[in-house]
Amino acid sequence: MSDVETGTISTKVPARLDRLPWSRWHWMIVIGLGTVWILDGLEVTIVGNLSAQLAKPGSGVDITQAQVAGLAAALYVAGACSGALFFGWLTDRFGRKKLFIVTLIVYLAATLMTAFSFSAWWFFLFRFMTGFGIGGEYAAINSAIDELIPSRHRGRIDIIINGSYWLGAAGGALLTVPLLNDLPVNIGWRVAFGLGVVLGLAILLVRRHVPESPRWLFIHGRDREAEEIVDGIEREIGKDLPEPEQSMTVHQRKSIGFVRIAHTMVALYPKRTVLGLSLFIGQAFLYNAITFGYAQILSTFFQIDTYTGYYFAVIALGNFLGPLLLGHLFDTVGRIPMISATYIGSGLLLLGTAWLFNEGMLTAVTLTACWSAVLFVASAGASSAYLTVSEIFPMETRAMAIAFFFAIGTAAGGIAGPLVFASLVETGVPGDTALAFTIGALVMIAGGLVELFLGVKAERKGLEAIAAPLTTAGVARAA
């Protein structure tokens, strides 16, 4: 599809959004959009901790634990990759709001159907469809959040929101304990999926009030709507705000063609493309492997199956505390030093964990403590991967860029990771599991080294200053 130009306008919308003080309106954006990561964490953790229970006779599904932790996990990630690409393109073409409503509905329907699984193929199908909806959420939500949050807060808020995945993970882990121990084997896991539907419906109610991105609107010929939305935000905040001096002139377009998008990534920003791929592959392999497989490790090496949720909740807490406590440093110390430090630091900690595990020096408790330390550091870095690719490419390609890097990076690490990890753990040989840890650590370290050499200084800068819109005709000062 080719570009279709509709007119030329000058606008101060980006500058007006960036100079807004933090307010209740911004909290509404965080709650309405950011809470989707809680859903994703809930989904992935529930499945990981239910793997042993699903494999038991009488669960209602003829499936093995390795299939749940391996094939089903890989299909979930494959669905997320497909959904990211499909909905990412639609998000850049039809707007952020339409798609973050549609993708949430897809997730809700697929999760509900998973709860009614009666065979392995049905479970596999709707794990794929659940991932399809979640993948679309990543593109639509990250685009909208970064375009609505003021530049001085963008890094911290984006990283904490992405880190909120682990609140869902902790909740999912703790929920599985009573559900597995107090309910029949064929009922508890179904109720767990049903609870995800209830939370998703609550998020949908809040999300209805989130507006379309004014940045997307003025690019696509709807500048009057963009101005009205920003006017409404300013009235709601109710403070005496100075008029920004900076304005920009753009050629409005109804659509941006695939050729233009591909040219942007490959020809205009080749180093940034390598950077995005490196960050996503590193965090995807590490996280998808351990998230889907930790219950299998506890079951295989420590004979713990129905109480895995307690252990995973500790890991999840460490993961959330990382972005919460370190997030502000990405805006103050800077993107490059913090991203490289979190990637390399977590990789080194994981190498140490692999050695201790291989030597037989860890128990279920001490292994959990080691992973909590590793992921406290890694979580902030992993969240920054989404922030990075959202910031460093032009606005017209933002959702598609997020989708592209998520799909390629996650396919490389997130599909291969669970399959390789599950097969290595299944052998019951500590050295094989230590090898999986080592592979994840080395890939994570490699991502940190790429950040050192190719990272972009994006802290506290407006999105248009980091990567000018493709439609920009020039930048002017108000008289």
Side-chain angles (χ1 to χ4, degrees):
M1 184 178 294
S2 59
D3 296 357
V4 180
E5 187 172 333
T6 60
T8 301
I9 65 159
S10 292
T11 180
K12 293 183 178 180
V13 163
R16 290 171 67 188
L17 288 170
D18 281 339
R19 64 88 156 87
L20 292 174
W22 190 260
S23 65
R24 288 178 58 190
W25 184 86
H26 293 103
W27 279 118
M28 185 266 291
I29 299 299
V30 170
I31 295 170
L33 299 183
T35 42
V36 68
W37 274 260
I38 297 177
L39 282 179
D40 192 14
L42 187 72
E43 273 294 317
V44 173
T45 310
I46 282 178
V47 174
N49 285 285
L50 293 178
S51 60
Q53 191 82 343
L54 276 164
K56 290 181 177 179
S59 70
V61 181
D62 184 13
I63 196 169
T64 67
Q65 185 174 14
Q67 284 178 316
V68 177
L71 181 57
L75 285 171
Y76 177 87
V77 175
C81 295
S82 304
L85 290 172
F86 178 70
F87 289 120
W89 172 68
L90 293 178
T91 298
D92 278 335
R93 178 165 173 74
F94 295 109
R96 299 359 181 175
K97 181 163 186 173
K98 287 187 178 70
L99 272 299
F100 63 59
I101 295 294
V102 170
T103 53
L104 183 55
I105 292 173
V106 170
Y107 159 80
L108 290 172
T111 300
L112 184 62
M113 290 298 100
T114 303
F116 289 101
S117 294
F118 56 88
S119 67
W121 71 264
W122 181 278
F123 185 81
F124 293 148
L125 171 62
F126 285 103
R127 289 310 295 158
F128 177 88
M129 290 306 301
T130 302
F132 193 73
I134 286 292
E137 288 274 291
Y138 279 108
I141 300 303
N142 269 306
S143 301
I145 288 173
D146 285 348
E147 290 171 6
L148 292 170
I149 298 297
S151 57
R152 62 189 177 281
H153 300 294
R154 188 178 60 244
R156 170 172 38 183
I157 296 302
D158 199 296
I159 287 172
I160 291 175
I161 284 176
N162 279 280
S164 69
Y165 170 101
W166 294 101
L167 287 179
L174 293 174
L175 279 173
T176 60
V177 175
L179 294 178
L180 295 183
N181 289 280
D182 299 336
L183 294 177
V185 68
N186 65 330
I187 297 296
W189 66 268
R190 299 182 192 275
V191 174
F193 284 112
L195 292 173
V197 176
V198 173
L199 179 58
L201 288 172
I203 294 172
L204 185 61
L205 293 175
V206 177
R207 191 171 288 185
R208 293 180 306 147
H209 302 291
V210 176
E212 180 58 86
S213 164
R215 283 178 157 104
W216 183 89
L217 287 170
F218 75 71
I219 287 290
H220 289 80
R222 296 163 62 181
D223 47 289
R224 181 172 296 179
E225 290 179 58
E227 298 286 348
E228 289 174 353
I229 288 174
V230 178
D231 288 343
I233 297 170
E234 291 173 341
R235 285 194 300 270
E236 184 173 337
I237 291 175
K239 293 186 178 181
D240 187 17
L241 300 170
E243 183 69 17
E245 296 182 355
Q246 185 100 24
S247 68
M248 62 184 302
T249 301
V250 298
H251 299 298
Q252 295 175 308
R253 284 174 167 82
K254 287 291 185 183
S255 63
I256 303 294
F258 277 120
V259 173
R260 189 86 182 270
I261 293 172
H263 180 267
T264 300
M265 292 185 180
V266 177
L268 293 183
Y269 297 108
K271 292 181 180 179
R272 296 185 180 189
T273 299
V274 172
L275 173 64
L277 287 173
S278 301
L279 295 180
F280 263 90
I281 290 173
Q283 64 87 27
F285 194 97
L286 178 71
Y287 270 93
N288 284 286
I290 190 59
T291 299
F292 287 117
Y294 197 63
Q296 188 184 9
I297 294 174
L298 293 175
S299 175
T300 301
F301 293 98
F302 305 107
Q303 291 72 54
I304 297 169
D305 51 12
T306 58
Y307 291 93
T308 58
Y310 288 135
Y311 294 90
F312 203 93
V314 174
I315 287 178
L317 180 62
N319 268 287
F320 179 65
L321 289 176
L324 185 66
L325 299 178
L326 302 178
H328 71 283
L329 299 176
F330 289 77
D331 282 327
T332 54
V333 175
R335 303 285 199 264
I336 295 175
M338 286 305 302
I339 294 174
S340 58
T342 51
Y343 267 72
I344 295 172
S346 61
L348 293 175
L349 288 172
L350 184 51
L351 285 177
T353 301
W355 181 80
L356 291 172
F357 186 84
N358 187 57
E359 295 298 312
M361 300 171 65
L362 298 177
T363 64
V365 172
T366 54
L367 177 61
T368 301
C370 287
W371 267 108
S372 296
V374 171
L375 298 179
F376 173 87
V377 180
S379 183
S383 297
S384 71
Y386 293 91
L387 170 66
T388 297
V389 298
S390 178
E391 289 180 324
I392 63 177
F393 291 96
M395 193 197 71
E396 298 91 335
T397 66
R398 181 163 292 119
M400 197 61 201
I402 296 168
F404 171 78
F405 290 109
F406 173 81
I408 301 300
T410 303
I415 296 177
L419 291 173
V420 171
F421 200 94
S423 62
L424 289 172
V425 173
E426 194 174 26
T427 67
V429 178
D432 291 344
T433 299
L435 174 61
F437 290 175
T438 301
I439 294 171
L442 294 177
V443 176
M444 198 73 171
I445 290 171
L449 293 175
V450 172
E451 172 68 28
L452 274 177
F453 291 100
L454 301 181
V456 178
K457 294 181 179 180
E459 56 271 12
R460 306 178 73 86
K461 292 182 179 179
L463 293 171
E464 293 73 22
I466 301 167
L470 299 176
T471 48
T472 300
V475 178
R477 291 279 182 178

